[in-house]
Amino acid sequence: MIKHTVKKGETLYNIAKKYGINLNALLVANSSIRNPALIQPGQVINIPRPAVQRTIVIPRESYGYDEMLNDLQSLEELYPFIEVNSIGSTVMGRSIPVVKLGHGKKEVHYNGSFHANEWITTVLLMKFIENYAKAYASGKKIGSFNIQGLFDTTSLWIVPMVNPDGVQLVQGKIATNTKAYQTALMINSGSRDFRGWKANIRGVDLNDQFPAHWETEVSRRAASAPSPQNYPGNAPLSEPESRAIAEFTQSHNFRLVSAFHTQGEEIYWGYRGLEPNESQLIVTRLVEVSGYEAVRYVESDAGYKDWFIQDWRRPGFTVECGLGVNPLPIAQFWDIWSKVIGIFLMGIYV
């Protein structure tokens, strides 16, 4: 970020032109300026780097927790209106970041990587954060969506990676001499191939952890002990990651939530008849922009979406991105992106 000291006779328009940036980008980098016409000589203002010259989020096979943190730091520096905080910590003490974009009264929440081998959903959400911020800073639309208007009406909260420990394990980034790794190795029957691992580092499926008929889910799951997949834990919200996302959700007034998973190109939108009537209208719009299939009910309980619909009676969705076997290869990224970008935007708009 460059600092500029205002000279006599200068206006924000002149300063923006001098540095080759959009006036709106200058305004969002200086949110404390209430009246742009009243800047004074000697006043110091922030000059953001031209966003169009930098691409921060690069989809790649090795995209994990550290890459996400580095990109979030770079995005904060480039787009000062982005707010990054933490909703809590993982079993191994990793912070779970949350990103806020927009300042509207309506609140919407997206999350990804509940399941460790579905880490490509983190890359999708991070790329959306970058593109959404870039469009706002430059005053441009994304397709037909007016991003300035969405920022003004909606506060979007994104948790890009609910399960950092699990993602690091799948990607081979947990030190093999740690107790956590050795325990996971035992749970994985001694195999160092963790590509099939969905759980957190303790072998608990974080999306089977919510108090929405959890006991019923336990009865139908084959796993009765820590496992790479499908073990609901010994109690609802037993894991720090599931507790963190639950407490975060309870602390907000979300109008809509979407949990992004892989794979199947499906959108699950109902839960035991508790979903509001508008959910069907919304999922119709999501299908229109993505080509995904809408699925109302499946034999499943205790998921994040299930719990949200049950306790708030508001629209909640599980979006299964892409097709194939998890973890989906990064080569599929842009094909998946072309379909979910509309879901990201429509979920804020509706």
Side-chain angles (χ1 to χ4, degrees):
M1 186 73 70
I2 302 168
K3 301 292 184 180
H4 175 87
T5 302
V6 177
K7 299 180 178 62
K8 185 176 180 180
E10 282 189 321
T11 66
L12 286 180
Y13 176 79
N14 297 142
I15 295 168
K17 188 175 181 180
K18 174 181 178 180
Y19 286 97
I21 60 175
N22 183 276
L23 178 59
N24 191 47
L26 188 61
L27 288 171
V28 297
N30 296 274
S31 56
S32 62
I33 298 178
R34 301 302 179 191
N35 187 340
L38 297 180
I39 59 170
Q40 301 294 325
Q43 185 175 350
V44 177
I45 61 174
N46 298 318
I47 307 297
R49 298 182 183 93
V52 294
Q53 296 179 4
R54 296 182 63 193
T55 297
I56 292 170
V57 180
I58 308 295
R60 53 199 185 276
E61 204 72 49
S62 61
Y63 199 98
Y65 180 72
D66 293 336
E67 289 75 17
M68 175 187 70
L69 290 186
N70 290 336
D71 284 352
L72 286 176
Q73 182 177 349
S74 297
L75 288 168
E76 274 191 291
E77 292 171 357
L78 187 58
Y79 305 108
F81 53 85
I82 291 178
E83 299 177 32
V84 180
N85 291 293
S86 174
I87 67 168
S89 299
T90 68
V91 170
M92 298 185 72
R94 291 182 173 86
S95 176
I96 305 172
V98 60
V99 181
K100 182 190 177 193
L101 301 108
H103 40 260
K105 184 177 180 180
K106 182 176 73 174
E107 292 188 299
V108 170
H109 169 56
Y110 297 159
N111 61 58
S113 292
F114 253 102
H115 290 148
N117 63 354
E118 300 174 10
W119 55 264
I120 198 171
T121 58
T122 293
V123 194
L124 290 164
L125 287 166
M126 289 294 295
K127 195 64 184 174
F128 179 68
I129 291 168
E130 179 177 29
N131 284 18
Y132 194 54
K134 182 182 291 187
Y136 179 69
S138 62
K140 295 181 179 178
K141 293 182 177 182
I142 300 179
S144 62
F145 290 91
N146 180 345
I147 306 306
Q148 178 77 53
L150 294 181
F151 257 74
D152 290 342
T153 60
T154 306
S155 293
L156 175 63
W157 298 82
I158 297 178
V159 177
M161 188 181 291
V162 176
N163 186 8
D165 296 346
V167 169
Q168 294 296 88
L169 180 68
V170 168
Q171 294 199 342
K173 296 176 180 178
I174 300 283
T176 58
N177 62 349
T178 60
K179 182 179 179 181
Y181 181 87
Q182 292 300 320
T183 301
L185 188 65
M186 182 177 63
I187 294 171
N188 206 40
S189 302
S191 173
R192 295 177 182 271
D193 181 356
F194 289 98
R195 286 176 294 177
W197 189 280
K198 294 171 60 176
N200 75 346
I201 199 70
R202 289 201 291 225
V204 177
D205 188 326
L206 297 176
N207 203 41
D208 266 344
Q209 270 270 287
F210 293 87
H213 293 269
W214 179 83
E215 295 79 5
T216 303
E217 186 71 3
V218 170
S219 69
R220 70 163 64 97
R221 287 299 191 185
S224 57
S227 172
Q229 299 185 15
N230 304 330
Y231 174 56
N234 57 20
L237 304 179
S238 65
E239 303 307 292
E241 298 93 344
S242 55
R243 285 198 302 274
I245 198 80
E247 290 168 3
F248 165 73
T249 304
Q250 290 167 334
S251 70
H252 288 271
N253 185 32
F254 292 125
R255 175 265 191 285
L256 174 153
V257 304
S258 289
F260 290 85
H261 290 252
T262 56
Q263 46 73 42
E265 295 196 344
E266 296 173 323
I267 305 172
Y268 301 106
W269 61 278
Y271 183 64
R272 290 178 173 261
L274 302 175
E275 66 281 357
N277 291 334
E278 65 172 331
S279 292
Q280 186 164 15
L281 300 175
I282 293 171
V283 80
T284 299
R285 304 292 296 276
L286 300 182
V287 167
E288 288 173 354
V289 296
S290 67
Y292 281 15
E293 180 183 354
V295 179
R296 188 167 193 172
Y297 300 129
V298 292
E299 192 177 80
S300 179
D301 293 282
Y304 175 75
K305 175 267 295 178
D306 307 332
W307 171 70
F308 181 79
I309 293 174
Q310 171 191 271
D311 283 15
W312 278 268
R313 301 296 203 274
R314 292 178 184 173
F317 305 92
T318 298
V319 181
E320 297 284 356
C321 307
L323 292 170
V325 177
N326 291 327
L328 296 182
I330 202 67
Q332 288 195 30
F333 179 86
W334 291 111
D335 179 64
I336 298 171
W337 170 260
S338 68
K339 298 173 183 177
V340 301
I341 178 66
I343 296 176
F344 289 146
L345 292 165
M346 187 62 73
I348 308 167
Y349 174 78
V350 293

